[in-house]
Amino acid sequence: MQFRRKFRSALTALALVVAPGVAVVGTATDAFAVTKISHATATSMFRGAGITWSSSGGCSDRNNSSCTSFEQLNLATAQGAQTLKQAIGCALNITGGTETGHASGTYSHWNGYKLDYGKSTCVTTYIKNTFTYIGLRGDGAPQYRSGSGNIYADEGNHWDVLYYNCGGC
């Protein structure tokens, strides 16, 4: 029990020095807290890694399904995108973030666990040749699991990626 209190105290202290625009959310009973970041922090991280993003509506409003927003994105998800970009060594474009309009659930876009990537030969080849095919998702999308446990689902015109962690950052 004392370890848990020390861990929570250390996590709280870390949250205070992480970065501007970053917040750690959770309750005292959570096994771990999820670090949420702002849209501005995420775009800065992506820009620095050479990752692009686009939206059909040319906007970033989280409450508009035509936009691509990163508001309330999990820090580990943003770091996972950076890890993927570094590994593939080619263009990576995010087409979906935390905006409304995606499927709901604990590990959802809205809750900061998922990003959508535009399809390209380079990205698809990397995923299929590097990660393990694990079968079809309930909706029929072929799925691949990375070595760190993140799930890449081929939704036809884009990759839907579930980040449980930063992918080895």
Side-chain angles (χ1 to χ4, degrees), residues 84-152:
L84 178 64
K85 170 62 176 155
Q86 184 177 15
I88 62 175
C90 62
L92 185 63
N93 184 60
I94 301 171
T95 60
T98 60
E99 66 279 349
T100 191
H102 299 279
S104 62
T106 300
Y107 297 104
S108 64
H109 282 272
W110 182 261
N111 288 334
Y113 288 92
K114 286 185 157 193
L115 289 172
D116 288 341
Y117 298 115
K119 278 241 181 123
S120 72
T121 301
C122 178
V123 173
T124 297
T125 299
Y126 179 84
I127 292 169
K128 290 184 175 183
N129 290 343
T130 308
F131 303 147
T132 304
Y133 176 73
I134 58 170
L136 301 178
R137 199 167 61 182
D139 62 0
Q143 300 178 101
Y144 299 81
R145 180 179 290 124
S146 71
S148 61
N150 297 321
I151 308 294
Y152 292 70

Side-chain angles (χ1 to χ4, degrees), residues 25-113:
V25 295
T27 66
T29 59
D30 288 343
F32 63 96
V34 175
T35 303
K36 299 291 187 178
I37 61 175
S38 69
H39 181 83
T41 298
T43 57
S44 177
M45 290 174 69
F46 297 148
R47 192 175 294 110
I51 299 169
T52 59
W53 58 94
S54 57
S55 74
S56 57
C59 49
S60 62
D61 181 351
R62 179 168 158 85
N63 296 301
N64 181 337
S65 62
S66 297
C67 299
T68 297
S69 175
F70 305 123
E71 196 62 41
Q72 295 297 305
L73 188 67
N74 294 343
L75 176 60
T77 302
Q79 291 170 326
Q82 290 176 310
T83 300
L84 178 64
K85 170 62 176 155
Q86 184 177 15
I88 62 175
C90 62
L92 185 63
N93 184 60
I94 301 171
T95 60
T98 60
E99 66 279 349
T100 191
H102 299 279
S104 62
T106 300
Y107 297 104
S108 64
H109 282 272
W110 182 261
N111 288 334
Y113 288 92

